[in-house]
Amino acid sequence: MSSTAIFINIFAVGCIILAFIRDRAKTRQAFIIGLKSFFRILPIVLIVIVFIGLFLGLVQPSKISKIIGDQAGFGGIIFVALLGSILHIPALISFPLAASLLESEASITAVAVFITTLTMIGTITLPLEIKELGKKMALLRNGISFIIAIIIAVIIGSIL
Amino acid sequence: MIRDYALLGVVLIIAAVILMIFPDRFDAVTTKSWKYFAEMMMILPAVMLILGLFTVLISKETVGKYLGKAAGIKGILLAIVFGALPTGPLYVAFPVAATLLKKGARISNVIVFLSAWACIKLPQEMVELQFLGLNFMASRLILTIVFVSLMGVAIEHMIEWSDKKAIGSKP
């Protein structure tokens, strides 16, 4: 087990012990919610893992690298940003997906822009956001998020 | 949920067919899948338990109460902290944000809160740490906090400016 995994599990156990001391009934309820969420997300996680396996086992890294790698340039970044804005993938699953893209020689910038646009911009939830918060605020938030996602990714790409 | 499991079955069958067409890639595909599966299963139960705990212990009402009256840097920091707590998907945050606005919360706080809710969730950061490493996760987190705060302030100015103009043009 990696040190990260150990850290996360210790953190979870610590939280549970603290919560259990403070409120037993609520902790039990939290367990049930956690368990339900686990089995709800499990099939999607497994589907993505199968895809990752096929992707890494069948597609040559040089092909990925040409589209969204270091030599792909700014066009590749915009392409990934648009993809991330449109796709509606649970954020938790975007990270193994991103790791597999890195493994097949996508650039760090492309991976960062993918995750940031995926989480920050919601094209599918946009109608709801407009309904609740108004057109002006929703469009400004999503539009500016698109630009800052690219800025964030370019900075990450240049420092890592 | 049953639909997702059915979909998983279909995907597995398709994968099996593809592997029958490319039998020489069988080892590569299964090794990679297994590696990602193991990495995910080491943390997913813990992450989901933490998610459950925060859902139960911190209600939407608590978030609204604290965020409604905070302003300035303190408001933005609180918006990030409350947004980052694992309390549900983004569509849950829209009504909370709408209520906050109606109660007179600052636009910048609400924007930062929504953006933090969308992309700085505690469980997400854990999975990011596991798969992409500390450097990637930490630099993306810090940059996101900085830029999202700037965006909140910028949007507040834009909306207030355009509202003022709209009021000014009406006789």
Side-chain angles (χ1 to χ4, degrees), chain A residues 2 4 9 11 34 39 49 53 57-58 91-92 95-96 99-100 103 115-116 119 128-129 132-133 136 156, chain B residues 5 25 32-33 35-36 42 46 48 91 94 98 114 118-119 124 126-130 132 140 162-163:
Chain A
S2 69
T4 307
N9 281 285
F11 180 74
F39 284 106
I49 287 171
L58 296 173
L92 282 182
F95 299 112
S100 74
E103 207 175 312
I115 297 174
T116 310
T119 48
L128 187 67
E129 189 171 349
E132 293 280 0
L133 301 171
K136 206 188 285 171
I156 292 179
Chain B
Y5 278 96
R25 298 299 177 89
K32 292 293 182 193
S33 282
K35 190 190 121 202
Y36 277 83
M42 277 177 210
M48 287 300 152
Y91 57 81
F94 296 138
L114 267 183
C119 63
Q124 288 177 23
M126 288 176 168
V127 181
E128 182 166 4
L129 183 64
Q130 167 86 340
L132 297 169
R140 209 179 66 86
S162 79
D163 283 352

mmCIF file of all heavy atoms in Angstrom, chain A residues 2 4 9 11 34 39 49 53 57-58 91-92 95-96 99-100 103 115-116 119 128-129 132-133 136 156, chain B residues 5 25 32-33 35-36 42 46 48 91 94 98 114 118-119 124 126-130 132 140 162-163:
data_model
loop_
_atom_site.group_PDB
_atom_site.id
_atom_site.type_symbol
_atom_site.label_atom_id
_atom_site.label_comp_id
_atom_site.label_asym_id
_atom_site.label_seq_id
_atom_site.Cartn_x
_atom_site.Cartn_y
_atom_site.Cartn_z
ATOM 1 N N SER A 2 0.531 2.224 -0.826
ATOM 2 C CA SER A 2 1.334 3.445 -0.889
ATOM 3 C C SER A 2 1.119 4.285 0.367
ATOM 4 O O SER A 2 0.136 4.111 1.084
ATOM 5 C CB SER A 2 0.926 4.264 -2.111
ATOM 6 O OG SER A 2 -0.369 4.775 -1.940
ATOM 7 N N THR A 4 0.338 7.343 0.521
ATOM 8 C CA THR A 4 -0.871 8.160 0.353
ATOM 9 C C THR A 4 -2.104 7.383 0.797
ATOM 10 O O THR A 4 -2.950 7.898 1.538
ATOM 11 C CB THR A 4 -1.035 8.557 -1.129
ATOM 12 O OG1 THR A 4 0.156 9.158 -1.579
ATOM 13 C CG2 THR A 4 -2.205 9.508 -1.298
ATOM 14 N N ASN A 9 -6.468 6.326 4.706
ATOM 15 C CA ASN A 9 -7.206 5.379 5.549
ATOM 16 C C ASN A 9 -7.100 5.734 7.034
ATOM 17 O O ASN A 9 -8.086 5.629 7.769
ATOM 18 C CB ASN A 9 -6.722 3.955 5.292
ATOM 19 C CG ASN A 9 -7.329 3.387 4.019
ATOM 20 O OD1 ASN A 9 -8.501 3.034 3.997
ATOM 21 N ND2 ASN A 9 -6.564 3.355 2.945
ATOM 22 N N PHE A 11 -6.658 8.750 8.190
ATOM 23 C CA PHE A 11 -7.499 9.936 8.334
ATOM 24 C C PHE A 11 -8.974 9.538 8.496
ATOM 25 O O PHE A 11 -9.688 10.036 9.368
ATOM 26 C CB PHE A 11 -7.311 10.847 7.118
ATOM 27 C CG PHE A 11 -8.128 12.108 7.156
ATOM 28 C CD1 PHE A 11 -7.759 13.139 8.021
ATOM 29 C CD2 PHE A 11 -9.244 12.269 6.351
ATOM 30 C CE1 PHE A 11 -8.510 14.317 8.068
ATOM 31 C CE2 PHE A 11 -9.996 13.437 6.396
ATOM 32 C CZ PHE A 11 -9.625 14.468 7.257
ATOM 33 N N GLY A 34 -22.222 6.195 3.458
ATOM 34 C CA GLY A 34 -20.947 5.878 2.827
ATOM 35 C C GLY A 34 -21.001 4.585 2.037
ATOM 36 O O GLY A 34 -20.548 4.511 0.899
ATOM 37 N N PHE A 39 -21.387 1.656 -3.256
ATOM 38 C CA PHE A 39 -21.948 0.725 -4.246
ATOM 39 C C PHE A 39 -22.596 1.445 -5.417
ATOM 40 O O PHE A 39 -22.731 0.889 -6.492
ATOM 41 C CB PHE A 39 -22.910 -0.248 -3.578
ATOM 42 C CG PHE A 39 -22.176 -1.316 -2.819
ATOM 43 C CD1 PHE A 39 -22.133 -1.296 -1.431
ATOM 44 C CD2 PHE A 39 -21.481 -2.299 -3.492
ATOM 45 C CE1 PHE A 39 -21.425 -2.258 -0.732
ATOM 46 C CE2 PHE A 39 -20.763 -3.271 -2.801
ATOM 47 C CZ PHE A 39 -20.740 -3.244 -1.426
ATOM 48 N N ILE A 49 -12.203 1.750 -15.183
ATOM 49 C CA ILE A 49 -10.970 0.966 -15.059
ATOM 50 C C ILE A 49 -10.785 0.017 -16.246
ATOM 51 O O ILE A 49 -9.684 -0.131 -16.771
ATOM 52 C CB ILE A 49 -10.945 0.215 -13.707
ATOM 53 C CG1 ILE A 49 -10.680 1.228 -12.586
ATOM 54 C CG2 ILE A 49 -9.885 -0.881 -13.694
ATOM 55 C CD1 ILE A 49 -10.831 0.684 -11.197
ATOM 56 N N GLY A 53 -7.674 0.161 -18.890
ATOM 57 C CA GLY A 53 -6.883 -1.012 -19.250
ATOM 58 C C GLY A 53 -6.798 -1.188 -20.759
ATOM 59 O O GLY A 53 -5.708 -1.372 -21.322
ATOM 60 N N GLY A 57 -3.490 -0.596 -22.893
ATOM 61 C CA GLY A 57 -2.984 -1.819 -23.490
ATOM 62 C C GLY A 57 -3.015 -1.818 -25.009
ATOM 63 O O GLY A 57 -2.246 -2.521 -25.647
ATOM 64 N N LEU A 58 -3.917 -1.021 -25.596
ATOM 65 C CA LEU A 58 -4.109 -1.091 -27.047
ATOM 66 C C LEU A 58 -3.619 0.135 -27.805
ATOM 67 O O LEU A 58 -3.156 0.030 -28.933
ATOM 68 C CB LEU A 58 -5.598 -1.300 -27.373
ATOM 69 C CG LEU A 58 -6.234 -2.604 -26.891
ATOM 70 C CD1 LEU A 58 -7.733 -2.571 -27.129
ATOM 71 C CD2 LEU A 58 -5.633 -3.818 -27.582
ATOM 72 N N ALA A 91 -16.188 13.562 -10.668
ATOM 73 C CA ALA A 91 -14.814 14.032 -10.481
ATOM 74 C C ALA A 91 -13.901 12.934 -9.950
ATOM 75 O O ALA A 91 -12.752 12.809 -10.368
ATOM 76 C CB ALA A 91 -14.802 15.220 -9.543
ATOM 77 N N LEU A 92 -14.436 12.106 -9.028
ATOM 78 C CA LEU A 92 -13.621 11.056 -8.419
ATOM 79 C C LEU A 92 -12.981 10.163 -9.478
ATOM 80 O O LEU A 92 -11.860 9.700 -9.329
ATOM 81 C CB LEU A 92 -14.475 10.181 -7.502
ATOM 82 C CG LEU A 92 -14.824 10.747 -6.128
ATOM 83 C CD1 LEU A 92 -15.628 9.738 -5.341
ATOM 84 C CD2 LEU A 92 -13.565 11.111 -5.368
ATOM 85 N N PHE A 95 -9.750 11.336 -11.926
ATOM 86 C CA PHE A 95 -8.334 11.266 -11.553
ATOM 87 C C PHE A 95 -7.618 10.016 -12.054
ATOM 88 O O PHE A 95 -6.530 10.128 -12.613
ATOM 89 C CB PHE A 95 -8.183 11.468 -10.045
ATOM 90 C CG PHE A 95 -8.688 12.810 -9.603
ATOM 91 C CD1 PHE A 95 -9.816 12.925 -8.818
ATOM 92 C CD2 PHE A 95 -8.058 13.970 -10.025
ATOM 93 C CE1 PHE A 95 -10.302 14.170 -8.443
ATOM 94 C CE2 PHE A 95 -8.530 15.221 -9.660
ATOM 95 C CZ PHE A 95 -9.656 15.315 -8.866
ATOM 96 N N PRO A 96 -8.190 8.805 -11.897
ATOM 97 C CA PRO A 96 -7.529 7.661 -12.545
ATOM 98 C C PRO A 96 -7.459 7.828 -14.057
ATOM 99 O O PRO A 96 -6.460 7.467 -14.684
ATOM 100 C CB PRO A 96 -8.402 6.459 -12.160
ATOM 101 C CG PRO A 96 -9.609 6.993 -11.507
ATOM 102 C CD PRO A 96 -9.279 8.369 -11.027
ATOM 103 N N ALA A 99 -4.626 10.058 -14.742
ATOM 104 C CA ALA A 99 -3.358 9.361 -14.541
ATOM 105 C C ALA A 99 -3.034 8.486 -15.748
ATOM 106 O O ALA A 99 -1.875 8.388 -16.179
ATOM 107 C CB ALA A 99 -3.418 8.521 -13.271
ATOM 108 N N SER A 100 -4.063 7.848 -16.325
ATOM 109 C CA SER A 100 -3.808 6.989 -17.483
ATOM 110 C C SER A 100 -3.427 7.827 -18.705
ATOM 111 O O SER A 100 -2.627 7.403 -19.535
ATOM 112 C CB SER A 100 -5.032 6.114 -17.784
ATOM 113 O OG SER A 100 -6.058 6.867 -18.376
ATOM 114 N N GLU A 103 0.147 8.582 -18.276
ATOM 115 C CA GLU A 103 0.937 7.385 -18.556
ATOM 116 C C GLU A 103 1.131 7.203 -20.054
ATOM 117 O O GLU A 103 2.144 6.694 -20.501
ATOM 118 C CB GLU A 103 0.246 6.159 -17.947
ATOM 119 C CG GLU A 103 1.204 5.040 -17.605
ATOM 120 C CD GLU A 103 0.501 3.893 -16.887
ATOM 121 O OE1 GLU A 103 -0.256 4.158 -15.925
ATOM 122 O OE2 GLU A 103 0.703 2.750 -17.298
ATOM 123 N N ILE A 115 -8.976 18.060 -15.929
ATOM 124 C CA ILE A 115 -9.577 17.924 -14.601
ATOM 125 C C ILE A 115 -10.283 19.213 -14.180
ATOM 126 O O ILE A 115 -11.407 19.188 -13.672
ATOM 127 C CB ILE A 115 -8.512 17.563 -13.545
ATOM 128 C CG1 ILE A 115 -7.885 16.218 -13.865
ATOM 129 C CG2 ILE A 115 -9.137 17.520 -12.159
ATOM 130 C CD1 ILE A 115 -6.739 15.886 -12.953
ATOM 131 N N THR A 116 -9.617 20.350 -14.403
ATOM 132 C CA THR A 116 -10.184 21.612 -13.926
ATOM 133 C C THR A 116 -11.471 21.973 -14.667
ATOM 134 O O THR A 116 -12.462 22.360 -14.044
ATOM 135 C CB THR A 116 -9.145 22.749 -14.032
ATOM 136 O OG1 THR A 116 -7.929 22.303 -13.436
ATOM 137 C CG2 THR A 116 -9.615 23.985 -13.292
ATOM 138 N N THR A 119 -14.396 19.560 -13.582
ATOM 139 C CA THR A 119 -15.028 19.798 -12.289
ATOM 140 C C THR A 119 -15.678 21.182 -12.209
ATOM 141 O O THR A 119 -16.751 21.324 -11.650
ATOM 142 C CB THR A 119 -13.998 19.664 -11.148
ATOM 143 O OG1 THR A 119 -12.834 20.411 -11.487
ATOM 144 C CG2 THR A 119 -13.625 18.228 -10.917
ATOM 145 N N LEU A 128 -29.905 24.443 -14.976
ATOM 146 C CA LEU A 128 -30.307 24.530 -13.569
ATOM 147 C C LEU A 128 -29.633 25.727 -12.897
ATOM 148 O O LEU A 128 -30.254 26.462 -12.116
ATOM 149 C CB LEU A 128 -29.917 23.233 -12.854
ATOM 150 C CG LEU A 128 -30.400 23.088 -11.414
ATOM 151 C CD1 LEU A 128 -31.904 22.980 -11.365
ATOM 152 C CD2 LEU A 128 -29.760 21.883 -10.754
ATOM 153 N N GLU A 129 -28.363 25.921 -13.213
ATOM 154 C CA GLU A 129 -27.620 27.042 -12.640
ATOM 155 C C GLU A 129 -28.241 28.374 -13.077
ATOM 156 O O GLU A 129 -28.377 29.300 -12.279
ATOM 157 C CB GLU A 129 -26.140 26.956 -13.070
ATOM 158 C CG GLU A 129 -25.243 27.942 -12.343
ATOM 159 C CD GLU A 129 -23.756 27.708 -12.593
ATOM 160 O OE1 GLU A 129 -23.409 26.652 -13.156
ATOM 161 O OE2 GLU A 129 -22.958 28.581 -12.216
ATOM 162 N N GLU A 132 -31.520 28.926 -11.155
ATOM 163 C CA GLU A 132 -31.374 29.288 -9.743
ATOM 164 C C GLU A 132 -30.675 30.629 -9.541
ATOM 165 O O GLU A 132 -30.982 31.352 -8.603
ATOM 166 C CB GLU A 132 -30.586 28.188 -8.998
ATOM 167 C CG GLU A 132 -31.317 26.860 -8.890
ATOM 168 C CD GLU A 132 -32.348 26.861 -7.766
ATOM 169 O OE1 GLU A 132 -32.501 27.882 -7.076
ATOM 170 O OE2 GLU A 132 -33.004 25.817 -7.582
ATOM 171 N N LEU A 133 -29.708 30.943 -10.388
ATOM 172 C CA LEU A 133 -28.857 32.107 -10.114
ATOM 173 C C LEU A 133 -28.946 33.194 -11.181
ATOM 174 O O LEU A 133 -28.336 34.248 -11.044
ATOM 175 C CB LEU A 133 -27.396 31.666 -9.979
ATOM 176 C CG LEU A 133 -27.123 30.647 -8.870
ATOM 177 C CD1 LEU A 133 -25.708 30.124 -8.974
ATOM 178 C CD2 LEU A 133 -27.338 31.271 -7.507
ATOM 179 N N LYS A 136 -26.991 35.920 -16.134
ATOM 180 C CA LYS A 136 -25.756 36.695 -16.089
ATOM 181 C C LYS A 136 -24.702 35.975 -15.238
ATOM 182 O O LYS A 136 -23.586 35.723 -15.673
ATOM 183 C CB LYS A 136 -26.061 38.068 -15.480
ATOM 184 C CG LYS A 136 -25.116 39.159 -15.920
ATOM 185 C CD LYS A 136 -25.359 40.432 -15.128
ATOM 186 C CE LYS A 136 -26.625 41.167 -15.561
ATOM 187 N NZ LYS A 136 -26.940 42.279 -14.636
ATOM 188 N N ILE A 156 0.659 25.197 -14.117
ATOM 189 C CA ILE A 156 1.069 23.882 -13.610
ATOM 190 C C ILE A 156 2.048 23.211 -14.574
ATOM 191 O O ILE A 156 3.076 22.674 -14.172
ATOM 192 C CB ILE A 156 -0.156 22.964 -13.375
ATOM 193 C CG1 ILE A 156 -0.987 23.507 -12.211
ATOM 194 C CG2 ILE A 156 0.280 21.528 -13.074
ATOM 195 C CD1 ILE A 156 -2.222 22.712 -11.918
ATOM 196 N N TYR B 5 -24.894 -1.130 -13.275
ATOM 197 C CA TYR B 5 -24.337 -2.480 -13.197
ATOM 198 C C TYR B 5 -24.551 -3.235 -14.501
ATOM 199 O O TYR B 5 -23.682 -3.994 -14.937
ATOM 200 C CB TYR B 5 -24.952 -3.248 -12.007
ATOM 201 C CG TYR B 5 -24.275 -2.901 -10.695
ATOM 202 C CD1 TYR B 5 -24.807 -1.940 -9.847
ATOM 203 C CD2 TYR B 5 -23.082 -3.522 -10.321
ATOM 204 C CE1 TYR B 5 -24.184 -1.600 -8.656
ATOM 205 C CE2 TYR B 5 -22.443 -3.197 -9.138
ATOM 206 C CZ TYR B 5 -23.001 -2.239 -8.305
ATOM 207 O OH TYR B 5 -22.368 -1.894 -7.151
ATOM 208 N N ARG B 25 -2.504 -8.723 -26.654
ATOM 209 C CA ARG B 25 -2.553 -7.579 -25.730
ATOM 210 C C ARG B 25 -3.205 -7.944 -24.392
ATOM 211 O O ARG B 25 -3.353 -7.101 -23.524
ATOM 212 C CB ARG B 25 -3.337 -6.404 -26.361
ATOM 213 C CG ARG B 25 -2.710 -5.865 -27.620
ATOM 214 C CD ARG B 25 -1.303 -5.317 -27.334
ATOM 215 N NE ARG B 25 -0.660 -4.857 -28.555
ATOM 216 C CZ ARG B 25 -0.787 -3.621 -29.020
ATOM 217 N NH1 ARG B 25 -1.532 -2.750 -28.382
ATOM 218 N NH2 ARG B 25 -0.173 -3.273 -30.129
ATOM 219 N N LYS B 32 -2.668 -3.549 -16.559
ATOM 220 C CA LYS B 32 -2.990 -2.134 -16.356
ATOM 221 C C LYS B 32 -4.292 -1.992 -15.566
ATOM 222 O O LYS B 32 -4.367 -1.231 -14.605
ATOM 223 C CB LYS B 32 -3.126 -1.404 -17.698
ATOM 224 C CG LYS B 32 -1.834 -1.263 -18.451
ATOM 225 C CD LYS B 32 -0.860 -0.336 -17.747
ATOM 226 C CE LYS B 32 0.426 -0.172 -18.551
ATOM 227 N NZ LYS B 32 1.495 0.464 -17.777
ATOM 228 N N SER B 33 -5.329 -2.705 -15.977
ATOM 229 C CA SER B 33 -6.616 -2.623 -15.284
ATOM 230 C C SER B 33 -6.465 -2.977 -13.812
ATOM 231 O O SER B 33 -6.984 -2.304 -12.926
ATOM 232 C CB SER B 33 -7.651 -3.548 -15.921
ATOM 233 O OG SER B 33 -8.154 -2.975 -17.096
ATOM 234 N N LYS B 35 -3.802 -2.844 -11.933
ATOM 235 C CA LYS B 35 -3.035 -1.832 -11.216
ATOM 236 C C LYS B 35 -3.966 -0.677 -10.787
ATOM 237 O O LYS B 35 -3.959 -0.258 -9.623
ATOM 238 C CB LYS B 35 -1.922 -1.302 -12.131
ATOM 239 C CG LYS B 35 -0.908 -0.411 -11.426
ATOM 240 C CD LYS B 35 0.029 0.277 -12.420
ATOM 241 C CE LYS B 35 -0.084 1.776 -12.281
ATOM 242 N NZ LYS B 35 0.329 2.525 -13.449
ATOM 243 N N TYR B 36 -4.792 -0.198 -11.711
ATOM 244 C CA TYR B 36 -5.688 0.917 -11.389
ATOM 245 C C TYR B 36 -6.785 0.485 -10.418
ATOM 246 O O TYR B 36 -7.186 1.229 -9.541
ATOM 247 C CB TYR B 36 -6.295 1.505 -12.670
ATOM 248 C CG TYR B 36 -5.367 2.490 -13.334
ATOM 249 C CD1 TYR B 36 -4.342 2.062 -14.172
ATOM 250 C CD2 TYR B 36 -5.501 3.854 -13.094
ATOM 251 C CE1 TYR B 36 -3.475 2.962 -14.762
ATOM 252 C CE2 TYR B 36 -4.634 4.765 -13.682
ATOM 253 C CZ TYR B 36 -3.631 4.316 -14.514
ATOM 254 O OH TYR B 36 -2.761 5.204 -15.081
ATOM 255 N N MET B 42 -7.869 0.722 -2.654
ATOM 256 C CA MET B 42 -7.165 1.035 -1.413
ATOM 257 C C MET B 42 -7.743 2.264 -0.740
ATOM 258 O O MET B 42 -7.615 2.434 0.463
ATOM 259 C CB MET B 42 -5.688 1.313 -1.717
ATOM 260 C CG MET B 42 -4.847 0.081 -1.837
ATOM 261 S SD MET B 42 -3.198 0.628 -2.290
ATOM 262 C CE MET B 42 -2.671 -0.767 -3.212
ATOM 263 N N ALA B 46 -12.536 4.310 2.199
ATOM 264 C CA ALA B 46 -12.229 5.375 3.160
ATOM 265 C C ALA B 46 -12.813 6.706 2.696
ATOM 266 O O ALA B 46 -13.432 7.442 3.465
ATOM 267 C CB ALA B 46 -10.724 5.481 3.346
ATOM 268 N N MET B 48 -15.327 7.222 0.717
ATOM 269 C CA MET B 48 -16.792 7.216 0.784
ATOM 270 C C MET B 48 -17.291 7.358 2.229
ATOM 271 O O MET B 48 -18.316 7.981 2.485
ATOM 272 C CB MET B 48 -17.337 5.930 0.158
ATOM 273 C CG MET B 48 -17.216 5.922 -1.332
ATOM 274 S SD MET B 48 -18.119 7.301 -2.046
ATOM 275 C CE MET B 48 -17.226 7.595 -3.524
ATOM 276 N N TYR B 91 -25.408 20.119 -8.183
ATOM 277 C CA TYR B 91 -26.776 20.622 -8.327
ATOM 278 C C TYR B 91 -27.449 20.877 -6.983
ATOM 279 O O TYR B 91 -28.428 21.594 -6.887
ATOM 280 C CB TYR B 91 -27.632 19.718 -9.235
ATOM 281 C CG TYR B 91 -27.723 18.279 -8.781
ATOM 282 C CD1 TYR B 91 -28.608 17.898 -7.774
ATOM 283 C CD2 TYR B 91 -26.958 17.288 -9.399
ATOM 284 C CE1 TYR B 91 -28.708 16.586 -7.374
ATOM 285 C CE2 TYR B 91 -27.039 15.966 -8.998
ATOM 286 C CZ TYR B 91 -27.924 15.630 -7.989
ATOM 287 O OH TYR B 91 -28.013 14.326 -7.579
ATOM 288 N N PHE B 94 -26.660 24.742 -6.053
ATOM 289 C CA PHE B 94 -27.339 25.876 -6.695
ATOM 290 C C PHE B 94 -28.452 26.466 -5.836
ATOM 291 O O PHE B 94 -28.495 27.678 -5.632
ATOM 292 C CB PHE B 94 -27.852 25.489 -8.088
ATOM 293 C CG PHE B 94 -26.767 25.144 -9.066
ATOM 294 C CD1 PHE B 94 -26.893 24.063 -9.922
ATOM 295 C CD2 PHE B 94 -25.603 25.903 -9.129
ATOM 296 C CE1 PHE B 94 -25.883 23.741 -10.818
ATOM 297 C CE2 PHE B 94 -24.586 25.592 -10.019
ATOM 298 C CZ PHE B 94 -24.736 24.510 -10.874
ATOM 299 N N ALA B 98 -28.591 30.187 -4.282
ATOM 300 C CA ALA B 98 -29.705 31.101 -4.565
ATOM 301 C C ALA B 98 -30.269 31.669 -3.265
ATOM 302 O O ALA B 98 -30.560 32.868 -3.166
ATOM 303 C CB ALA B 98 -30.786 30.377 -5.367
ATOM 304 N N LEU B 114 -19.647 28.326 -4.800
ATOM 305 C CA LEU B 114 -20.065 27.409 -5.874
ATOM 306 C C LEU B 114 -18.855 26.750 -6.542
ATOM 307 O O LEU B 114 -18.844 25.534 -6.759
ATOM 308 C CB LEU B 114 -20.822 28.191 -6.947
ATOM 309 C CG LEU B 114 -22.331 28.267 -6.837
ATOM 310 C CD1 LEU B 114 -22.874 29.017 -8.037
ATOM 311 C CD2 LEU B 114 -22.937 26.869 -6.774
ATOM 312 N N ALA B 118 -17.675 22.885 -6.562
ATOM 313 C CA ALA B 118 -17.505 22.127 -7.801
ATOM 314 C C ALA B 118 -16.134 21.462 -7.874
ATOM 315 O O ALA B 118 -16.031 20.325 -8.312
ATOM 316 C CB ALA B 118 -17.700 23.048 -8.999
ATOM 317 N N CYS B 119 -15.067 22.156 -7.439
ATOM 318 C CA CYS B 119 -13.759 21.595 -7.774
ATOM 319 C C CYS B 119 -12.752 21.501 -6.634
ATOM 320 O O CYS B 119 -11.621 21.103 -6.866
ATOM 321 C CB CYS B 119 -13.145 22.317 -8.973
ATOM 322 S SG CYS B 119 -12.837 24.030 -8.669
ATOM 323 N N GLN B 124 -12.332 14.467 -3.397
ATOM 324 C CA GLN B 124 -11.658 14.575 -4.698
ATOM 325 C C GLN B 124 -10.165 14.782 -4.525
ATOM 326 O O GLN B 124 -9.356 14.180 -5.224
ATOM 327 C CB GLN B 124 -12.207 15.761 -5.491
ATOM 328 C CG GLN B 124 -13.592 15.560 -6.031
ATOM 329 C CD GLN B 124 -14.087 16.797 -6.744
ATOM 330 O OE1 GLN B 124 -13.308 17.617 -7.191
ATOM 331 N NE2 GLN B 124 -15.387 16.946 -6.827
ATOM 332 N N MET B 126 -8.311 13.839 -2.166
ATOM 333 C CA MET B 126 -7.673 12.594 -1.733
ATOM 334 C C MET B 126 -7.392 11.672 -2.913
ATOM 335 O O MET B 126 -6.306 11.097 -3.022
ATOM 336 C CB MET B 126 -8.581 11.857 -0.745
ATOM 337 C CG MET B 126 -8.641 12.525 0.585
ATOM 338 S SD MET B 126 -9.819 11.669 1.618
ATOM 339 C CE MET B 126 -9.413 12.414 3.179
ATOM 340 N N VAL B 127 -8.378 11.535 -3.807
ATOM 341 C CA VAL B 127 -8.184 10.659 -4.970
ATOM 342 C C VAL B 127 -7.126 11.255 -5.896
ATOM 343 O O VAL B 127 -6.298 10.539 -6.466
ATOM 344 C CB VAL B 127 -9.523 10.440 -5.711
ATOM 345 C CG1 VAL B 127 -9.333 9.507 -6.890
ATOM 346 C CG2 VAL B 127 -10.559 9.861 -4.759
ATOM 347 N N GLU B 128 -7.130 12.589 -6.010
ATOM 348 C CA GLU B 128 -6.123 13.266 -6.836
ATOM 349 C C GLU B 128 -4.721 13.008 -6.281
ATOM 350 O O GLU B 128 -3.780 12.723 -7.019
ATOM 351 C CB GLU B 128 -6.406 14.772 -6.885
ATOM 352 C CG GLU B 128 -5.429 15.530 -7.772
ATOM 353 C CD GLU B 128 -5.889 16.940 -8.094
ATOM 354 O OE1 GLU B 128 -6.930 17.364 -7.578
ATOM 355 O OE2 GLU B 128 -5.195 17.613 -8.864
ATOM 356 N N LEU B 129 -4.589 13.092 -4.947
ATOM 357 C CA LEU B 129 -3.310 12.822 -4.278
ATOM 358 C C LEU B 129 -2.836 11.404 -4.596
ATOM 359 O O LEU B 129 -1.671 11.170 -4.918
ATOM 360 C CB LEU B 129 -3.500 13.003 -2.770
ATOM 361 C CG LEU B 129 -2.291 12.847 -1.862
ATOM 362 C CD1 LEU B 129 -1.270 13.926 -2.163
ATOM 363 C CD2 LEU B 129 -2.711 12.944 -0.395
ATOM 364 N N GLN B 130 -3.757 10.460 -4.532
ATOM 365 C CA GLN B 130 -3.418 9.060 -4.767
ATOM 366 C C GLN B 130 -2.940 8.817 -6.195
ATOM 367 O O GLN B 130 -1.959 8.126 -6.417
ATOM 368 C CB GLN B 130 -4.656 8.191 -4.464
ATOM 369 C CG GLN B 130 -4.569 6.743 -4.947
ATOM 370 C CD GLN B 130 -3.887 5.851 -3.942
ATOM 371 O OE1 GLN B 130 -3.165 6.301 -3.069
ATOM 372 N NE2 GLN B 130 -4.114 4.566 -4.050
ATOM 373 N N LEU B 132 -2.301 11.299 -8.802
ATOM 374 C CA LEU B 132 -1.458 12.250 -9.525
ATOM 375 C C LEU B 132 -0.317 12.812 -8.677
ATOM 376 O O LEU B 132 0.504 13.569 -9.173
ATOM 377 C CB LEU B 132 -2.320 13.386 -10.095
ATOM 378 C CG LEU B 132 -3.355 12.900 -11.126
ATOM 379 C CD1 LEU B 132 -4.349 13.978 -11.447
ATOM 380 C CD2 LEU B 132 -2.688 12.413 -12.400
ATOM 381 N N ARG B 140 -2.239 22.483 -8.066
ATOM 382 C CA ARG B 140 -3.536 22.756 -8.680
ATOM 383 C C ARG B 140 -4.507 23.336 -7.637
ATOM 384 O O ARG B 140 -5.278 24.240 -7.918
ATOM 385 C CB ARG B 140 -4.121 21.482 -9.303
ATOM 386 C CG ARG B 140 -5.034 21.755 -10.502
ATOM 387 C CD ARG B 140 -5.568 20.478 -11.113
ATOM 388 N NE ARG B 140 -6.453 19.767 -10.224
ATOM 389 C CZ ARG B 140 -7.761 20.026 -10.128
ATOM 390 N NH1 ARG B 140 -8.312 20.941 -10.866
ATOM 391 N NH2 ARG B 140 -8.501 19.352 -9.276
ATOM 392 N N SER B 162 -23.078 46.436 -13.949
ATOM 393 C CA SER B 162 -24.128 46.373 -14.970
ATOM 394 C C SER B 162 -25.505 46.636 -14.355
ATOM 395 O O SER B 162 -26.382 47.200 -14.993
ATOM 396 C CB SER B 162 -24.099 45.025 -15.692
ATOM 397 O OG SER B 162 -24.721 44.033 -14.909
ATOM 398 N N ASP B 163 -25.681 46.283 -13.084
ATOM 399 C CA ASP B 163 -26.950 46.592 -12.413
ATOM 400 C C ASP B 163 -27.108 48.101 -12.252
ATOM 401 O O ASP B 163 -28.177 48.661 -12.465
ATOM 402 C CB ASP B 163 -27.002 45.931 -11.029
ATOM 403 C CG ASP B 163 -27.298 44.436 -11.138
ATOM 404 O OD1 ASP B 163 -27.605 43.994 -12.271
ATOM 405 O OD2 ASP B 163 -27.211 43.720 -10.127
#
